[in-house]
mmCIF file of all heavy atoms in Angstrom:
data_model
loop_
_atom_site.group_PDB
_atom_site.id
_atom_site.type_symbol
_atom_site.label_atom_id
_atom_site.label_comp_id
_atom_site.label_asym_id
_atom_site.label_seq_id
_atom_site.Cartn_x
_atom_site.Cartn_y
_atom_site.Cartn_z
ATOM 1 N N ILE A 123 13.064 -83.661 49.297
ATOM 2 C CA ILE A 123 12.537 -84.593 48.290
ATOM 3 C C ILE A 123 12.785 -84.103 46.861
ATOM 4 O O ILE A 123 12.293 -84.691 45.909
ATOM 5 C CB ILE A 123 11.028 -84.905 48.525
ATOM 6 C CG1 ILE A 123 10.177 -83.643 48.535
ATOM 7 C CG2 ILE A 123 10.866 -85.669 49.826
ATOM 8 C CD1 ILE A 123 8.677 -83.909 48.685
ATOM 9 N N GLY A 124 13.577 -83.042 46.716
ATOM 10 C CA GLY A 124 13.951 -82.537 45.394
ATOM 11 C C GLY A 124 13.159 -81.309 44.992
ATOM 12 O O GLY A 124 12.121 -80.979 45.581
ATOM 13 N N ASN A 125 13.654 -80.591 43.986
ATOM 14 C CA ASN A 125 12.992 -79.394 43.456
ATOM 15 C C ASN A 125 12.665 -78.368 44.536
ATOM 16 O O ASN A 125 11.566 -77.806 44.563
ATOM 17 C CB ASN A 125 11.729 -79.762 42.677
ATOM 18 C CG ASN A 125 12.041 -80.578 41.451
ATOM 19 O OD1 ASN A 125 13.067 -80.365 40.807
ATOM 20 N ND2 ASN A 125 11.176 -81.527 41.135
ATOM 21 N N LEU A 126 13.621 -78.152 45.454
ATOM 22 C CA LEU A 126 13.484 -77.189 46.561
ATOM 23 C C LEU A 126 12.326 -77.520 47.497
ATOM 24 O O LEU A 126 11.811 -76.664 48.209
ATOM 25 C CB LEU A 126 13.340 -75.752 46.038
ATOM 26 C CG LEU A 126 14.433 -75.253 45.094
ATOM 27 C CD1 LEU A 126 14.136 -73.823 44.653
ATOM 28 C CD2 LEU A 126 15.809 -75.338 45.735
ATOM 29 N N THR A 127 11.900 -78.779 47.516
ATOM 30 C CA THR A 127 10.736 -79.200 48.301
ATOM 31 C C THR A 127 11.152 -80.124 49.444
ATOM 32 O O THR A 127 11.997 -81.002 49.264
ATOM 33 C CB THR A 127 9.708 -79.910 47.392
ATOM 34 O OG1 THR A 127 9.364 -79.026 46.315
ATOM 35 C CG2 THR A 127 8.450 -80.267 48.159
ATOM 36 N N PHE A 128 10.533 -79.908 50.601
ATOM 37 C CA PHE A 128 10.781 -80.711 51.792
ATOM 38 C C PHE A 128 9.482 -81.352 52.262
ATOM 39 O O PHE A 128 8.397 -80.820 52.037
ATOM 40 C CB PHE A 128 11.312 -79.831 52.932
ATOM 41 C CG PHE A 128 12.689 -79.284 52.691
ATOM 42 C CD1 PHE A 128 12.856 -78.085 52.028
ATOM 43 C CD2 PHE A 128 13.798 -79.979 53.137
ATOM 44 C CE1 PHE A 128 14.122 -77.572 51.813
ATOM 45 C CE2 PHE A 128 15.064 -79.475 52.928
ATOM 46 C CZ PHE A 128 15.237 -78.273 52.262
ATOM 47 N N ARG A 129 9.616 -82.473 52.975
ATOM 48 C CA ARG A 129 8.495 -83.126 53.636
ATOM 49 C C ARG A 129 8.824 -83.191 55.122
ATOM 50 O O ARG A 129 9.954 -83.537 55.507
ATOM 51 C CB ARG A 129 8.291 -84.540 53.095
ATOM 52 C CG ARG A 129 7.183 -85.303 53.802
ATOM 53 C CD ARG A 129 6.906 -86.733 53.304
ATOM 54 N NE ARG A 129 8.052 -87.414 52.745
ATOM 55 C CZ ARG A 129 8.217 -87.680 51.440
ATOM 56 N NH1 ARG A 129 7.311 -87.311 50.578
ATOM 57 N NH2 ARG A 129 9.288 -88.316 51.012
ATOM 58 N N VAL A 130 7.853 -82.840 55.972
ATOM 59 C CA VAL A 130 8.027 -82.919 57.417
ATOM 60 C C VAL A 130 7.931 -84.386 57.818
ATOM 61 O O VAL A 130 6.961 -85.069 57.474
ATOM 62 C CB VAL A 130 6.957 -82.075 58.154
ATOM 63 C CG1 VAL A 130 7.091 -82.230 59.663
ATOM 64 C CG2 VAL A 130 7.049 -80.606 57.739
ATOM 65 N N ILE A 131 8.973 -84.881 58.532
ATOM 66 C CA ILE A 131 8.954 -86.284 58.955
ATOM 67 C C ILE A 131 8.722 -86.426 60.462
ATOM 68 O O ILE A 131 8.352 -87.499 60.927
ATOM 69 C CB ILE A 131 10.243 -87.029 58.535
ATOM 70 C CG1 ILE A 131 11.500 -86.308 58.995
ATOM 71 C CG2 ILE A 131 10.265 -87.224 57.031
ATOM 72 C CD1 ILE A 131 12.806 -87.026 58.669
ATOM 73 N N ALA A 132 8.907 -85.341 61.206
ATOM 74 C CA ALA A 132 8.612 -85.333 62.645
ATOM 75 C C ALA A 132 8.559 -83.876 63.094
ATOM 76 O O ALA A 132 9.239 -83.025 62.524
ATOM 77 C CB ALA A 132 9.676 -86.084 63.433
ATOM 78 N N SER A 133 7.741 -83.623 64.124
ATOM 79 C CA SER A 133 7.591 -82.243 64.565
ATOM 80 C C SER A 133 7.131 -82.202 66.015
ATOM 81 O O SER A 133 6.245 -82.965 66.402
ATOM 82 C CB SER A 133 6.563 -81.548 63.666
ATOM 83 O OG SER A 133 6.374 -80.220 64.063
ATOM 84 N N ASP A 134 7.759 -81.329 66.799
ATOM 85 C CA ASP A 134 7.352 -81.116 68.190
ATOM 86 C C ASP A 134 7.135 -79.631 68.424
ATOM 87 O O ASP A 134 8.007 -78.813 68.125
ATOM 88 C CB ASP A 134 8.441 -81.602 69.165
ATOM 89 C CG ASP A 134 8.546 -83.113 69.232
ATOM 90 O OD1 ASP A 134 7.500 -83.789 69.171
ATOM 91 O OD2 ASP A 134 9.686 -83.610 69.334
ATOM 92 N N ASN A 135 5.964 -79.284 68.947
ATOM 93 C CA ASN A 135 5.627 -77.918 69.348
ATOM 94 C C ASN A 135 5.634 -76.916 68.192
ATOM 95 O O ASN A 135 5.968 -75.749 68.383
ATOM 96 C CB ASN A 135 6.586 -77.425 70.452
ATOM 97 C CG ASN A 135 6.562 -78.303 71.672
ATOM 98 O OD1 ASN A 135 5.506 -78.741 72.108
ATOM 99 N ND2 ASN A 135 7.726 -78.585 72.227
ATOM 100 N N THR A 136 5.344 -77.348 66.981
ATOM 101 C CA THR A 136 5.277 -76.434 65.842
ATOM 102 C C THR A 136 3.939 -76.579 65.147
ATOM 103 O O THR A 136 3.191 -77.518 65.408
ATOM 104 C CB THR A 136 6.397 -76.708 64.802
ATOM 105 O OG1 THR A 136 6.026 -77.809 63.982
ATOM 106 C CG2 THR A 136 7.735 -76.974 65.456
ATOM 107 N N ARG A 137 3.672 -75.657 64.249
ATOM 108 C CA ARG A 137 2.452 -75.744 63.442
ATOM 109 C C ARG A 137 2.647 -76.608 62.215
ATOM 110 O O ARG A 137 1.730 -76.794 61.419
ATOM 111 C CB ARG A 137 1.997 -74.347 63.038
ATOM 112 C CG ARG A 137 1.542 -73.548 64.240
ATOM 113 C CD ARG A 137 0.951 -72.241 63.825
ATOM 114 N NE ARG A 137 0.530 -71.502 65.020
ATOM 115 C CZ ARG A 137 0.189 -70.259 65.026
ATOM 116 N NH1 ARG A 137 0.205 -69.568 63.904
ATOM 117 N NH2 ARG A 137 -0.179 -69.661 66.128
#
Side-chain angles (χ1 to χ4, degrees):
I123 57 177
N125 296 325
L126 305 179
T127 304
F128 292 88
R129 177 179 29 251
V130 177
I131 53 177
S133 179
D134 288 323
N135 302 318
T136 80
R137 293 187 180 168

